[in-house]
Amino acid sequence: MSYFRENIERMVGYVPGEQPTDPKVVKLNTNENPYPPSERVLATLASVNAEQLRRYPDPTAVMFRETAANVLGFSPEQIICGNGSDELLNIATRAFVGPQGLMAYPVPTYSLYRTLAHIEDAGFVEIPFGPDWSLPEELYSTGAKLTLLCNPNAPSGTMIETDEVSHLAKKLDGVLIMDEAYVDFADNNCLELVDKHKNVLILRTLSKGYSLAGLRFGYGIGNRKLIAGLNKVKDSYNCDALSVLLATEAISDQEVMRENARKVRDERERLSERLQAVGFEVPESQANFLLARMPAGCALTAKQLYKQLKERDVCVRYMEQTHLADCVRITVGRPEQNETLLQMMRQVGVEI
Amino acid sequence: MSYFRENIERMVGYVPGEQPTDPKVVKLNTNENPYPPSERVLATLASVNAEQLRRYPDPTAVMFRETAANVLGFSPEQIICGNGSDELLNIATRAFVGPQGLMAYPVPTYSLYRTLAHIEDAGFVEIPFGPDWSLPEELYSTGAKLTLLCNPNAPSGTMIETDEVSHLAKKLDGVLIMDEAYVDFADNNCLELVDKHKNVLILRTLSKGYSLAGLRFGYGIGNRKLIAGLNKVKDSYNCDALSVLLATEAISDQEVMRENARKVRDERERLSERLQAVGFEVPESQANFLLARMPAGCALTAKQLYKQLKERDVCVRYMEQTHLADCVRITVGRPEQNETLLQMMRQVGVEI
């Protein structure tokens, strides 16, 4: 006999990527930004006093919402803050879907979506991406209460054009979440859809573009009515005082974020070319990682490559999913980290 | 037409206490500890570097769990960390209850419990405390999947004895959560019940005893099976790197926590006596606040008292609930803050 609900008893929890603590490991497995956050964030951290720790934080993070609204061209009432964008995904499944509801999303994608459906005991429809990671037609007509589109998509790094997303939003009866976790590394984004479609919610994070994965801070942008409803579901003090303070400083410093993103993008192109030159199949990435399908005829499987790199202190991501079993996902690191990766690949027998 | 589930559309969100930012306000409304956290916490904060912000945190906060296990006499596998104990309450309703399930708790109590039932679309049974805030008999036989006992209770500050709680745990078919948010100010706690009953989960927070409300860090203690199941429901990176680090330092410094708690307790007794001397009815509190029922024959209502104190920059908590409409809840402050409170009460016509 179990104290847990059946759906919880049955499910396997989401397995996050490894977090090796040894500083000598070249960590290219969980899509952290390889560059440090803005110096202004660290200066603000140094100014924190005991009183800010002692007292409850502002429940709705007004400081961040006002700053982000200003930076992005929205009103603060169109923004909700979360303990990472994961929490906002979590809140959205509870607010829009529920156990009677249906979620839909193209796959392969961020595997947390399925975990959230399991937790909520919701139905879910997983529709394979079309050729070249195009948007599958079937996504238009699932009847889902919540459709999720990770854009740029993880783990492919590919992106659906804004016009096409707009078309999708218009056709859907339910809510469309654009998970823009990686958008700071992309050419475009879907912000303009927020004021165009009342069912669009855009999720963002400070983990990637702003180099603050340790902070757990994300935010959502949508029309006021969507945001007001989501606020009812969130824990009242979901963002701690330090994260609100540091996230506000980080988003104020667009220049540093853009400069870091530019460096990552340059390096992404270089690394992609190098991998393709030896036969890896790499879709065009708009994110800070590459999905690399093993070269035809390579003596190693993707899993072997992952393991052998790991033994050499280079950590990439291997995902044991049907469609990705012959791929590794590689976070774009600093030039010297990427060089180490390529060198170790050579060492284990990949001809680079 | 709404995009939200009916239960969400219908519900009113939890309303947290006001968080006035003006430093001249004597803030006695949301039960913060009036003393600052351990100096060791601040020293650790000063040591944080960019790398700790850039990288993802440890998903299960091993550092904190090992330290807390050691301090409290458990194993790390018996502990789960949360973004405040509010998040753990949230996780528990999803893990144990669900829309088909029932929650039960004696009232008046922490009003978040009802909000969580609304969000989960769960049933809930609210049973009034017996005379002198005793445990109501009916709580033994609700058939609830989750029974919640805030102990010491908010907003009364009263406490149910461990033996009685043990008896309750034994009789219940479902899980019993002891919400021990205020236990650091109490004579006893229910930790011994964790190894005695496999359905007991104890929730704690660093917000009160450890003066870290701004940090959002709580933890739960239960048997390994309970903890393993709850881990499936929590967001993978639910605690940020800074909070794990600072919470670990805070719980290591039991001496400062105990010394602060001692001062609060002394002041609690003094303040309670002063209030009772002029006719307030104040149940014996084991927490860091007092529930004060207006003196019979007082010219002011509790709401008027709350408002007039607020105009004088003293903020206490007024709760517009049926059974508490003639009460205010007063956080025990530092001696000079409590003196200001009493002085302002005199000024608005309460004869002290």
Side-chain angles (χ1 to χ4, degrees):
Chain A
M1 175 256 170
S2 165
Y3 293 113
F4 289 92
R5 292 167 64 194
E6 266 179 54
N7 57 313
I8 306 297
E9 194 57 55
R10 206 162 56 217
M11 71 179 270
V12 180
Y14 174 77
V15 181
E18 305 152 85
Q19 300 299 344
T21 50
D22 188 338
K24 81 166 176 293
V25 172
V26 176
K27 189 173 181 302
L28 304 175
N29 68 328
T30 57
N31 299 342
E32 281 116 336
N33 195 313
Y35 300 103
S38 161
E39 285 290 338
R40 282 166 50 185
V41 170
L42 296 166
T44 302
L45 180 62
S47 78
V48 171
N49 60 44
E51 193 64 4
Q52 288 162 298
L53 295 175
R54 188 185 70 80
R55 287 181 55 158
Y56 277 99
D58 170 9
T60 68
V62 173
M63 179 197 277
F64 178 87
R65 290 188 299 115
E66 284 179 351
T67 305
N70 195 35
V71 168
L72 302 168
F74 290 93
S75 85
E77 293 73 31
Q78 291 181 281
I79 298 177
I80 181 173
C81 298
N83 185 38
S85 53
D86 283 357
E87 189 200 22
L88 296 170
L89 286 164
N90 190 327
I91 289 170
T93 60
R94 304 189 76 185
F96 303 126
V97 188
Q100 312 303 324
L102 195 68
M103 288 162 68
Y105 44 87
V107 286
T109 192
Y110 187 23
S111 63
L112 180 68
Y113 302 159
R114 189 195 287 185
T115 302
L116 291 175
H118 285 318
I119 296 175
E120 191 63 13
D121 206 11
F124 56 93
V125 190
E126 301 184 335
I127 303 169
F129 272 103
D132 296 324
W133 300 89
S134 62
L135 199 66
E137 270 299 322
E138 297 91 321
L139 203 62
Y140 284 79
S141 51
T142 60
K145 296 197 173 191
L146 177 63
T147 303
L148 294 144
L149 189 61
C150 189
N151 206 37
N153 185 49
S156 61
T158 52
M159 199 153 181
I160 305 297
E161 291 298 329
T162 307
D163 281 355
E164 211 176 338
V165 178
S166 184
H167 188 59
L168 176 64
K170 200 177 164 185
K171 293 274 176 174
L172 293 175
D173 292 326
V175 172
L176 173 62
I177 284 187
M178 305 293 303
D179 183 345
E180 292 197 341
Y182 297 100
V183 84
D184 297 320
F185 307 101
D187 296 334
N188 292 304
N189 64 61
C190 287
L191 281 185
E192 67 184 75
L193 302 186
V194 167
D195 288 334
K196 225 184 242 176
H197 302 284
K198 60 182 200 285
N199 61 338
V200 163
L201 181 70
I202 291 187
L203 299 187
R204 297 221 167 159
T205 176
L206 272 76
S207 296
K208 320 289 184 185
Y210 297 88
S211 312
L212 291 171
L215 200 62
R216 314 308 303 127
F217 198 91
Y219 59 100
I221 313 165
N223 76 53
R224 285 156 206 254
K225 220 173 152 183
L226 279 192
I227 298 300
L230 292 169
N231 268 314
K232 292 200 267 184
V233 180
K234 84 171 186 66
D235 282 344
S236 34
Y237 299 106
N238 63 329
C239 296
D240 69 273
L242 299 187
S243 73
V244 174
L245 206 61
L246 303 192
T248 304
E249 201 59 40
I251 203 166
S252 306
D253 196 345
Q254 289 289 301
E255 207 177 319
V256 161
M257 182 277 280
R258 288 218 187 91
E259 174 58 17
N260 287 343
R262 191 194 55 72
K263 288 190 281 186
V264 168
R265 290 166 58 125
D266 286 354
E267 198 57 17
R268 174 181 75 202
E269 303 320 314
R270 204 182 66 84
L271 182 59
S272 179
E273 279 167 25
R274 295 280 294 275
L275 291 169
Q276 290 183 65
V278 294
F280 280 98
E281 203 181 292
V282 185
E284 195 193 315
S285 173
Q286 291 277 303
N288 68 335
F289 54 82
L290 298 168
L291 185 68
R293 196 172 292 269
M294 295 302 287
C298 183
L300 294 175
T301 65
K303 194 171 183 175
Q304 285 168 332
L305 175 62
Y306 154 76
K307 282 191 172 170
Q308 296 194 21
L309 287 174
K310 197 176 166 187
E311 283 163 16
R312 285 156 181 82
D313 290 326
V314 174
C315 201
V316 300
R317 187 78 177 262
Y318 175 71
M319 287 161 284
E320 225 144 342
Q321 291 177 34
T322 328
H323 299 290
L324 300 169
D326 57 346
C327 299
V328 290
R329 194 193 65 187
I330 303 167
T331 305
V332 177
R334 296 188 305 274
E336 70 277 17
Q337 294 179 303
N338 303 331
E339 274 312 315
T340 305
L341 166 78
L342 293 167
Q343 190 189 329
M344 291 304 158
M345 278 191 167
R346 223 176 284 126
Q347 212 178 86
V348 303
V350 178
E351 291 189 19
I352 287 182
Chain B
M1 177 256 170
S2 165
Y3 293 112
F4 290 92
R5 291 167 65 195
E6 266 179 53
N7 58 312
I8 305 297
E9 194 57 55
R10 206 163 56 218
M11 72 178 271
V12 179
Y14 174 77
V15 181
E18 306 151 84
Q19 299 299 347
T21 50
D22 188 339
K24 80 166 179 290
V25 172
V26 176
K27 188 171 182 303
L28 304 176
N29 70 326
T30 57
N31 300 341
E32 281 116 335
N33 195 314
Y35 300 103
S38 161
E39 286 290 337
R40 282 166 50 185
V41 171
L42 297 167
T44 302
L45 180 61
S47 78
V48 171
N49 60 44
E51 193 63 2
Q52 288 163 300
L53 296 175
R54 188 184 69 79
R55 286 180 56 158
Y56 277 99
D58 170 9
T60 69
V62 173
M63 179 196 275
F64 178 86
R65 290 189 297 115
E66 284 179 351
T67 306
N70 195 37
V71 168
L72 302 168
F74 290 93
S75 85
E77 293 73 31
Q78 291 181 282
I79 298 178
I80 181 172
C81 298
N83 185 37
S85 53
D86 282 358
E87 189 199 22
L88 296 170
L89 286 164
N90 190 327
I91 289 169
T93 60
R94 303 188 75 184
F96 303 127
V97 188
Q100 313 302 324
L102 195 68
M103 290 164 66
Y105 44 88
V107 287
T109 192
Y110 187 22
S111 62
L112 180 68
Y113 302 159
R114 190 195 287 185
T115 303
L116 291 174
H118 285 318
I119 295 175
E120 193 60 14
D121 206 11
F124 55 92
V125 190
E126 301 185 336
I127 303 169
F129 273 103
D132 296 324
W133 299 90
S134 62
L135 199 66
E137 271 300 321
E138 297 90 321
L139 203 62
Y140 285 78
S141 52
T142 60
K145 296 198 172 190
L146 177 62
T147 303
L148 294 144
L149 190 60
C150 188
N151 205 37
N153 185 49
S156 61
T158 53
M159 199 154 183
I160 306 297
E161 291 299 328
T162 306
D163 282 354
E164 211 177 338
V165 178
S166 183
H167 189 58
L168 175 64
K170 199 176 165 185
K171 293 275 176 172
L172 292 175
D173 293 325
V175 172
L176 174 61
I177 283 187
M178 305 292 302
D179 183 345
E180 292 197 341
Y182 297 101
V183 84
D184 296 320
F185 307 102
D187 297 334
N188 293 303
N189 64 61
C190 287
L191 282 184
E192 67 183 74
L193 302 187
V194 166
D195 287 333
K196 226 183 244 175
H197 303 284
K198 60 182 199 282
N199 61 339
V200 163
L201 180 70
I202 291 187
L203 298 187
R204 297 225 169 155
T205 177
L206 273 75
S207 296
K208 322 288 184 182
Y210 296 88
S211 312
L212 290 170
L215 201 62
R216 313 309 303 128
F217 197 91
Y219 60 101
I221 313 165
N223 75 54
R224 285 155 205 256
K225 219 172 151 184
L226 279 192
I227 298 300
L230 291 170
N231 269 315
K232 293 200 267 184
V233 181
K234 84 170 184 68
D235 282 344
S236 34
Y237 300 105
N238 63 329
C239 295
D240 68 274
L242 299 186
S243 74
V244 174
L245 206 62
L246 303 192
T248 304
E249 201 59 42
I251 203 165
S252 305
D253 195 346
Q254 289 289 300
E255 208 176 318
V256 160
M257 183 277 279
R258 288 219 187 90
E259 174 58 16
N260 287 341
R262 191 195 55 72
K263 288 191 280 187
V264 167
R265 290 165 57 124
D266 286 354
E267 198 56 19
R268 174 181 76 200
E269 304 318 314
R270 205 182 65 85
L271 182 59
S272 179
E273 279 166 25
R274 296 280 294 276
L275 291 169
Q276 289 184 65
V278 296
F280 280 97
E281 204 180 292
V282 184
E284 195 193 316
S285 172
Q286 291 278 302
N288 68 336
F289 55 82
L290 298 168
L291 184 69
R293 196 172 292 269
M294 296 301 287
C298 183
L300 295 174
T301 64
K303 193 170 184 176
Q304 285 167 335
L305 176 62
Y306 155 75
K307 282 192 169 170
Q308 296 194 19
L309 286 174
K310 197 175 166 187
E311 284 164 15
R312 285 159 181 80
D313 290 325
V314 174
C315 202
V316 299
R317 187 79 177 261
Y318 175 69
M319 288 160 284
E320 226 145 340
Q321 291 178 33
T322 328
H323 299 290
L324 300 169
D326 57 346
C327 298
V328 289
R329 194 194 66 188
I330 303 166
T331 305
V332 177
R334 297 188 305 273
E336 70 276 17
Q337 293 179 304
N338 303 331
E339 274 312 316
T340 304
L341 166 78
L342 293 168
Q343 190 190 327
M344 290 305 159
M345 279 190 167
R346 226 176 282 123
Q347 212 178 85
V348 303
V350 178
E351 292 189 17
I352 285 180

